[in-house]
């Protein structure tokens, strides 16, 4: 009897887990739908000098390179006028990096280095210390190190062999953070705001409802289609990380906009599987006209005796071929989607370019109930 009870309990527990999995199948975590306001990366930029190039640097007539190298020499008590600097082994470059929202002093950043002069290649070069500044003009990181270039360029006697772009390279972990930053997510009124990546009123309302149900209090409210404002209780302000972690784990079923994306350059069509189309008749066909010209030579035979006016003649014969294929006709039922339409057109052996034209025509006819995005 006890064994039967245990089996029944195990079956009931398994059914409960399966029901919970099915219920959560269509949900998405809140953290996958957007980010907290204030959570952003900061762009850093600076300029520096790359040395050690094998004659592929900036030309000796480049005034910027000469002045920059003269300034470097000046820091080491070498007074060399810019007019006397002559070298093809250095290049002036721009250095850029992205600083994460939470960065501490001593953290490393990846750096991108790109030539700012007329250097032919940065292969084998080493970046000297370059300060990286933010938009406020303050220096937050220092970059230095050997450059990794995924290409090359060699030329001799007018012959050039090049792979990829040798004037752009990277330095993994090439910058060291000197001044740390911290994202300010908690506002002065003790609230945090969650911003949706794709603003939508329905999704914002569902997020606020789900958060309130999870926390057991009316702390969240949708301010607009993009932002959901969440009040932080006084007992959670010292444990903000744990509080935000609970919010990010809340499951929500986001509302989707009906959208069809068309990339005409590659012939790609992407649409949601449930995008509906109204009843519409489609007829598609091709008219091909081919004009061919064949040239032939007419050579008279046996008329040369005393007939000075007889000459070889060039004769052109043209043919016109008109081929009109019967276009396939198709009338989708009332419950069809864009996915059904595309599959039906594929069975009719309709190429991708024609499918794009058909979708655009359906949208123009008012039968496609979705936003058509053409890239």
């Amino acid at each position: 009897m006890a064994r039967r009870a245990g089996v029944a309990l195990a079956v009931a527990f398994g059914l409960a887990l399966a029901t919970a999995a099915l219920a959560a199948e269509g949900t998405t975590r809140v953290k996958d739908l957007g980010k907290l306001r204030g959570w952003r990366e900061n762009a850093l930029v600076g300029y520096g000098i790359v040395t050690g190039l094998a004659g592929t640097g900036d030309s000796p007539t480049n005034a910027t390179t000469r002045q920059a190298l003269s300034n470097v020499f000046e820091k080491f008590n070498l007074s060399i006028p810019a007019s006397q600097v002559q070298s093809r082994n250095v290049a002036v470059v721009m250095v850029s990096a992205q600083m994460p929202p939470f960065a501490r002093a001593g953290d490393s950043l990846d750096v991108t280095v790109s030539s700012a002069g007329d250097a032919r290649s940065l292969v084998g070069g080493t970046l000297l210390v370059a300060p990286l500044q933010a938009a406020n003009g303050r220096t937050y990181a220092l970059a230095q190190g050997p450059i990794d270039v995924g290409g090359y360029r060699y030329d001799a006697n007018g012959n050039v062999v090049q792979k990829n772009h040798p004037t752009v390279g990277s330095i993994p972990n090439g910058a060291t953070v000197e001044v740390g930053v911290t994202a300010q997510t908690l506002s002065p009124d003790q609230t945090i705001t969650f911003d949706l990546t794709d603003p939508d009123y329905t999704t914002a309302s569902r997020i606020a409802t789900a958060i309130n149900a999870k926390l057991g209090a009316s702390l969240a409210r949708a301010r607009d289609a993009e932002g959901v404002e969440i009040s932080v209780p006084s007992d959670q302000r010292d444990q903000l990380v744990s509080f935000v972690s609970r919010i990010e784990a809340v499951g929500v079923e986001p509302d989707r906009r009906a959208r069809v994306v068309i990339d005409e350059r590659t012939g790609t069509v992407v649409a949601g599987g449930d995008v509906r189309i109204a009843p519409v008749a489609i007829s598609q066909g091709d008219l091909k006209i081919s004009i061919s010209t064949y040239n032939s030579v007419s050579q008279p035979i046996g008329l040369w005796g005393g007939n000075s006016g007889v000459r070889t003649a060039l004769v052109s014969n043209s043919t016109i071929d008109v081929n009109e294929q019967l276009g396939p006709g198709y009338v989708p039922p009332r419950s069809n989607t864009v996915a059904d339409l595309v599959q039906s057109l594929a069975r009719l052996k309709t190429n991708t370019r024609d499918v794009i034209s058909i979708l655009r025509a359906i949208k123009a006819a008012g039968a496609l109930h979705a936003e058509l995005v053409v890239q």
Side-chain angles (χ1 to χ4, degrees):
M1 195 71 177
R3 183 177 182 182
R4 290 184 179 179
V7 172
L9 182 60
V11 172
F13 182 73
L15 291 176
L17 290 178
T19 303
L22 291 176
E25 184 178 357
T27 62
T28 303
R29 295 182 305 173
V30 169
K31 70 181 302 181
D32 298 327
L33 298 177
K35 60 183 179 180
L36 291 178
R37 184 168 298 176
W39 183 286
R40 49 163 291 179
E41 292 186 343
N42 300 277
L44 303 179
V45 66
Y47 91 96
I49 296 179
V50 173
T51 61
L53 303 177
T56 60
D58 295 336
S59 62
T61 59
N62 193 314
T64 303
T65 306
R66 297 165 66 177
Q67 184 63 55
L69 196 57
S70 177
N71 295 341
V72 172
F73 290 153
E74 186 70 26
K75 294 181 180 179
F76 296 96
N77 299 324
L78 295 175
S79 299
I80 300 177
S83 59
Q84 297 182 9
V85 176
Q86 301 288 333
S87 177
R88 285 301 304 256
N89 297 334
V90 296
V92 172
V93 295
M94 299 302 297
V95 187
S96 60
Q98 292 290 334
M99 198 170 187
F102 295 92
R104 302 292 186 264
D107 291 351
S108 298
L109 306 177
D110 294 338
V111 171
T112 300
V113 180
S114 57
S115 174
D118 55 355
R120 298 193 300 268
S121 175
L122 299 180
V123 174
T126 300
L127 176 68
L128 300 183
V129 176
L132 302 181
Q133 300 178 350
N136 57 5
R138 187 178 180 183
T139 299
Y140 285 89
L142 296 178
Q144 180 176 273
I147 302 175
D148 181 17
V149 179
Y152 55 80
R153 175 191 169 98
Y154 302 103
D155 59 280
N157 300 325
N159 298 319
V160 179
V161 178
Q162 179 174 331
K163 178 182 179 181
N164 297 335
H165 297 277
T167 55
V168 178
S170 62
I171 308 177
N173 298 326
T176 303
V177 177
E178 299 295 331
V179 179
V181 295
T182 302
Q184 299 295 331
T185 57
L186 185 64
S187 63
D189 57 352
Q190 306 304 316
T191 61
I192 58 176
T193 302
F194 182 81
D195 292 333
L196 277 72
T197 303
D198 295 322
D200 184 84
Y201 284 104
T202 302
T203 303
S205 177
R206 291 178 181 177
I207 290 177
T209 302
I211 291 175
N212 291 332
K214 177 70 174 181
L215 301 180
S218 299
L219 301 178
R221 66 186 184 98
R223 295 182 59 90
D224 48 37
E226 182 181 9
V228 177
E229 188 178 83
I230 306 168
S231 299
V232 181
S234 57
D235 59 338
Q236 295 291 330
R237 293 168 188 171
D238 294 335
Q239 302 176 357
L240 187 60
V241 175
S242 176
F243 181 75
V244 173
S245 178
R246 294 172 58 192
I247 294 176
E248 291 181 337
V250 174
V252 179
E253 184 178 356
D255 193 53
R256 296 185 303 172
R257 289 187 178 182
R259 183 176 298 174
V260 179
V261 181
I262 294 175
D263 190 342
E264 291 188 324
R265 293 170 295 180
T266 60
T268 303
V269 179
V270 179
D274 55 351
V275 177
R276 302 286 176 177
I277 56 176
V280 62
I282 302 171
S283 179
Q284 187 270 337
D286 292 330
L287 176 63
K288 298 181 179 179
I289 301 177
S290 177
I291 302 177
S292 302
T293 301
Y294 303 93
N295 297 321
S296 61
V297 178
S298 176
Q299 177 67 50
I301 301 176
L303 300 177
W304 292 100
N307 295 326
S308 60
V310 179
R311 297 289 187 274
T312 301
L314 182 64
V315 180
S316 298
N317 298 316
S318 299
T319 59
I320 301 178
D321 183 18
V322 179
N323 182 16
E324 183 176 7
Q325 299 179 358
L326 296 178
Y330 179 70
V331 181
R334 292 182 179 275
S335 61
N336 260 22
T337 63
V338 171
D340 298 330
L341 173 62
V342 173
Q343 291 179 1
S344 300
L345 294 177
R347 286 193 294 267
L348 293 174
K349 297 182 179 180
T350 306
N351 59 49
T352 307
R353 299 292 180 183
D354 292 336
V355 172
I356 292 176
S357 299
I358 290 172
L359 289 175
R360 299 185 69 171
I362 293 176
K363 178 63 176 179
L368 179 60
H369 304 310
E371 179 185 1
L372 190 62
V373 180
V374 181
Q375 296 181 346

